[in-house]
């Protein structure tokens, strides 16, 4: 008969999740419970088998939408896999629905798969990080922030990144600078808008509400931008956009109004995506350095697995950088 964590759990009278935590020497398990679990595991020969076959598997959890997203998260996923493999580990991908529907089944699935740590990729329902944090395994979130779920998060410094975009335009003569981005989309989008407002105020530039489009009924639809652009009256000289896709869609909406980029309006995107590089004109954008985020997050996770410690809940904000593009020109100096 194959000995599993479920076998040990039934014999010890505890949950599979408790067995998983006890075998990893996690501080969340009482010492007497840990001793009971280890004794039973040793009697059944589980520890010897587990040592021989331990794959040091890492679970990547994200939404179906993120996992299928060729714009941004696919690059993140590839970078994370590369770093995990560089540490001699394997990676198994799980849809976030596993956490949302039945947390107990998810915990058991991870235990049976020999998962040693969890990576959360992108924004998800709060139940997902809460379930992951309750598993008793080291958890790190990459490319997002879970401020209230007790999860260590590695994310770009969106506030400073948006500030870089505004300053890039300011240094090239732009003063009437607007913002476009569907802020409910993610934590990052909200932070980027706040960063834009903060930098405009710091530079002493006007920042009226009607220069910003922070909500659209349909994301990435140029037609959805037509009405709010019309309501602006005089279009700003430039826009900071929540990401490159938004900038590309905005360029199309502006073109429908007879405006060209950058002769009439300048644009700065965010994410430094392939689509932004391929657009015509090429986008000036803010690079969030996916590779650095993946490397930092996985290094922290591996260190926690090796030391059998849980990662403390904190935010690690990594620097962004400005990438110049043809969507911004230099305005002539007015005498």
């Amino acid at each position: 008969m194959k000995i599993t964590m479920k076998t040990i759990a039934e014999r010890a009278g505890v949950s599979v999740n408790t067995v998983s935590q006890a075998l990893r020497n996690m501080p969340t398990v009482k010492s007497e419970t840990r001793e009971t679990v280890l004794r039973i595991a040793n009697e059944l020969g589980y520890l010897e088998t587990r040592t021989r076959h331990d794959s040091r598997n890492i679970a990547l959890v994200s939404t179906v939408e993120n996992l299928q997203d060729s714009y941004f998260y696919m690059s993140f996923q590839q970078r994370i896999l590369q770093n995990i493999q560089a540490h001699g580990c394997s990676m198994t991908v799980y849809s976030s629905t596993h956490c949302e529907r039945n947390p107990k089944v998810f915990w058991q699935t991870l235990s049976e798969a020999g998962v040693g740590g969890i990576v959360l990729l992108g924004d998800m329902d709060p139940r997902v990080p809460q379930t992951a944090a309750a598993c008793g395994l080291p958890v790190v979130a990459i490319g997002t922030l879970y401020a209230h779920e007790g999860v260590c998060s590695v994310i770009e410094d969106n506030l400073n990144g948006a500030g870089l975009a505004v300053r890039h335009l300011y240094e090239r003569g732009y003063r009437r600078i607007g913002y476009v981005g569907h802020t409910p989309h993610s934590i990052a989008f909200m932070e980027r808008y706040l960063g834009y407002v903060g930098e405009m105020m710091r530079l002493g530039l006007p920042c009226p509400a009607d220069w910003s489009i922070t909500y659209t009924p349909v994301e990435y639809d140029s037609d959805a931008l037509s009405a709010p652009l019309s309501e602006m009256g005089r279009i700003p000289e430039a826009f900071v956009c929540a990401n490159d896709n938004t900038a590309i869609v905005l360029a199309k909406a502006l073109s429908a109004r007879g405006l060209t980029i950058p002769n009439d309006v300048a644009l700065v995107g965010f994410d430094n995506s392939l689509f932004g590089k391929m657009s015509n004109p090429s986008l000036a954008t803010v690079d969030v350095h996916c590779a650095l985020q993946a490397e930092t997050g996985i290094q922290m996770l591996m260190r926690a697995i090796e030391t059998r410690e849980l990662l403390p809940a904190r935010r690690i904000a990594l620097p962004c950088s400005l990438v110049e593009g043809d969507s911004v020109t230099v305005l002539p100096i007015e005498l």
Side-chain angles (χ1 to χ4, degrees), residues 204-268:
L205 298 178
C207 188
D210 61 358
W211 284 4
S212 295
I213 303 173
T214 57
Y215 176 81
T216 55
V218 182
E219 291 188 74
Y220 308 132
D221 184 342
S222 60
D223 292 336
L225 296 177
S226 297
L229 285 174
S230 299
E231 294 170 1
M232 286 183 181
R234 188 183 178 192
I235 300 293
E237 301 168 320
F239 287 97
V240 173
C241 299
N243 66 3
D244 291 347
N245 267 5
T246 299
I248 293 169
V249 171
L250 177 59
K252 183 178 180 181
L254 291 169
S255 176
R257 300 174 63 86
L259 301 173
T260 61
I261 312 298
N263 296 331
D264 298 310
V265 181
L267 301 178
V268 179

Side-chain angles (χ1 to χ4, degrees), residues 141-178:
I142 298 178
T144 189
L145 173 66
Y146 292 113
H148 307 293
E149 286 77 25
V151 173
C152 179
S153 302
V154 178
I155 189 173
E156 68 276 2
D157 187 346
N158 288 297
L159 295 175
N160 184 59
L164 289 175
V166 173
R167 289 196 298 276
H168 180 66
L169 293 165
Y170 181 82
E171 291 166 359
R172 283 150 184 77
Y174 296 91
R175 296 296 180 267
R176 294 188 304 106
I177 304 170

Side-chain angles (χ1 to χ4, degrees), residues 304-316:
I305 293 172
E306 292 296 332
T307 58
R308 297 179 181 271
E309 296 177 349
L310 299 179
L311 289 169
R314 58 173 173 155
R315 170 191 177 133
I316 300 172

Side-chain angles (χ1 to χ4, degrees), residues 196-208:
Y196 152 78
V197 172
E199 189 63 19
M200 293 290 283
M201 294 177 65
R202 190 188 73 81
L203 293 172
L205 298 178
C207 188

Side-chain angles (χ1 to χ4, degrees), residues 44-93:
L44 296 175
Y46 178 80
L47 294 179
E48 180 182 355
T49 303
R50 180 171 176 267
T51 301
R52 285 200 310 267
H53 299 288
D54 185 4
S55 63
R56 297 190 69 198
N57 191 17
I58 305 300
L60 174 70
V61 181
S62 194
T63 64
V64 173
E65 293 77 15
N66 287 347
L67 295 172
Q68 295 177 344
D69 174 37
S70 60
Y71 162 73
F72 184 66
Y73 284 106
M74 185 173 292
S75 174
F76 248 136
Q77 186 176 340
Q78 292 171 344
R79 299 288 188 178
I80 290 169
L81 176 59
Q82 290 169 1
N83 279 274
I84 288 174
Q85 290 177 334
H87 283 84
C89 296
S90 59
M91 183 178 85
T92 303
V93 179

